[in-house]
């Protein structure tokens, strides 16, 4: 009755089905793990943003690589801005996707160490080769607060670190590079300033990172598992249809032979 399952066509079809089921189940778990990682990451960011600020030197130091657990941790620092050695980060966008610069200003602490502070975004209002006009920060000693970020890399950001740029322009924020340029001890990572807010709204402060979106990974996981469950169902449907077609063909009367001299 089901001997047709031993034919070459059906053996191949059955093997394909047996391979697809575990592959689709595994793809579903892969998407589930991505969903879980995204939820955990969102929670880490939310916790970091909600925590009270701590002195920057308590969680970073010269040459320190900021770990994931400390990303977006709110930190504070007391010192003065060094606008003489201010640089701009090229090809950065604001909340409206307008292209401009991020303003990176060294912040000199009481002990002489430097904290890199991203003061925010300004528009590119002139030729790319020219150093843009930057609103000055407050003068004298002050306390700033911001979100701690890790040094940028091409691998993590997808931004190519172009060489030979105009003076005081960079592509990626690197505390190591700035330490070499300044000849001073620079704390690892950098800070996205959140306060004090600029008096005239420029530079435009960088908004909080998105920590509410979870993407469609869970939906994709369910989709893959539905596909996996559909494979055996489809296989059974095909088998029954094949059996029915073969039975119908066997039960059909043989065509009458036509006489040779007809």
């Amino acid at each position: 009755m089901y001997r047709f399952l031993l034919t070459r066509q059906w053996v191949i079809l059955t093997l394909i089905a047996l391979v697809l089921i575990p592959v689709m189940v595994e793809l579903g778990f892969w998407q589930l793990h991505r969903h879980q990682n995204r939820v955990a990451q969102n929670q880490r960011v939310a916790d970091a943003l909600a925590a009270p600020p701590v002195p920057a030197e308590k969680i970073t130091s010269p040459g320190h690589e900021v770990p994931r657990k400390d990303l977006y941790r709110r930190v504070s620092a007391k010192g003065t801005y060094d606008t003489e050695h201010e640089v701009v980060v090229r090809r950065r966008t604001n909340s409206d996707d307008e292209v401009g610069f991020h303003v990176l200003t060294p912040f000199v602490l009481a002990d002489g160490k430097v904290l890199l502070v991203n003061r925010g975004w300004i528009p590119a209002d002139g030729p790319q080769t020219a150093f843009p006009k930057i609103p000055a920060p407050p003068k004298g000693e002050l306390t700033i607060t911001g979100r701690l970020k890790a040094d940028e890399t091409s691998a993590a950001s997808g931004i190519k670190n172009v060489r030979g740029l105009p003076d005081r322009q960079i592509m990626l924020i690197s505390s190591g590079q700035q330490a070499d340029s300044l000849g001073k001890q620079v704390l690892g990572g950098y800070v996205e300033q959140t306060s004090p807010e600029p008096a005239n709204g420029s530079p435009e402060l960088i908004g909080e990172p998105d920590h509410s979106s979870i993407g469609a990974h869970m939906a994709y996981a369910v989709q893959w598992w539905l596909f996996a469950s559909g494979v055996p169902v489809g296989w059974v449907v095909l088998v029954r249809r094949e059996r029915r077609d073969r039975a119908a063909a066997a039960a059909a009367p043989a065509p009458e032979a036509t006489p040779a001299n007809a």
Side-chain angles (χ1 to χ4, degrees):
M1 185 181 299
Y2 290 101
R3 290 182 63 84
F4 65 86
L5 292 175
L6 299 178
T7 62
R8 182 173 180 271
Q9 175 185 352
W10 275 96
V11 168
I12 293 175
L13 182 62
T14 302
L15 289 175
I16 291 175
L18 291 174
V19 170
L20 284 177
I21 292 172
V23 169
M24 290 179 175
V25 170
E26 185 61 29
L27 286 171
F29 279 111
W30 173 60
Q31 290 290 350
L32 174 63
H33 294 154
R34 294 188 69 186
H35 168 78
Q36 293 171 333
N37 290 338
R38 184 63 177 269
V39 171
Q41 177 183 337
N42 286 348
Q43 189 58 53
R44 280 195 301 270
V45 174
D47 291 344
L49 296 176
V54 297
E57 287 190 276
K58 282 194 173 183
I59 55 176
T60 185
S61 58
H64 178 73
E65 184 176 341
V66 178
R68 176 174 292 187
K69 67 180 181 65
D70 289 333
L71 288 178
Y72 302 109
R73 182 70 187 274
R74 294 177 65 216
V75 298
S76 61
K78 187 175 182 179
T80 55
Y81 278 115
D82 176 12
T83 55
E84 183 180 349
H85 297 99
E86 198 166 50
V87 298
V88 292
V89 191
R90 293 167 58 102
R91 300 178 188 171
R92 299 302 167 103
T93 57
N94 64 357
S95 57
D96 296 323
D97 289 330
E98 298 172 318
V99 179
F101 301 95
H102 279 179
V103 179
L104 189 69
T105 311
F107 192 72
V108 184
L109 308 179
D111 59 5
K113 295 186 181 71
V114 172
L115 175 67
L116 298 178
V117 177
N118 186 340
R119 294 203 290 123
W121 180 90
I122 58 172
D125 56 357
Q128 289 284 319
T129 55
F131 191 75
K133 184 178 180 180
I134 303 173
K139 294 183 178 180
E141 189 175 66
L142 74 155
T143 299
I144 62 108
T145 303
R147 299 180 291 265
L148 183 64
K149 296 286 296 291
D151 288 335
E152 297 178 338
T153 64
S154 293
S157 66
I159 301 172
K160 185 178 180 182
N161 195 14
V162 180
R163 303 293 181 179
L165 295 175
D167 188 39
R168 297 175 67 185
Q169 294 191 25
I170 60 176
M171 295 298 299
L172 296 170
I173 302 176
S174 167
S175 58
Q177 283 185 351
Q178 293 305 307
D180 293 340
S181 177
L182 295 170
K184 295 182 178 181
Q185 289 187 308
V186 177
L187 303 185
Y190 66 99
V191 168
E192 290 178 344
Q193 182 177 329
T194 57
S195 70
E197 296 186 8
N200 59 355
S202 183
E204 179 184 318
L205 295 181
I206 300 171
E208 284 191 354
D210 177 20
H211 56 281
S212 59
S213 174
I214 58 174
H217 301 302
M218 192 62 188
Y220 292 151
V222 173
Q223 189 178 62
W224 279 117
W225 291 331
L226 289 175
F227 288 160
S229 64
V231 170
V233 173
W235 184 86
V236 170
V237 170
L238 290 176
V239 168
R240 289 183 174 179
R241 187 174 67 180
E242 181 75 7
R243 177 179 174 274
R244 184 179 64 249
D245 291 346
R246 286 174 178 264
E256 294 182 2
T258 304
N261 59 353

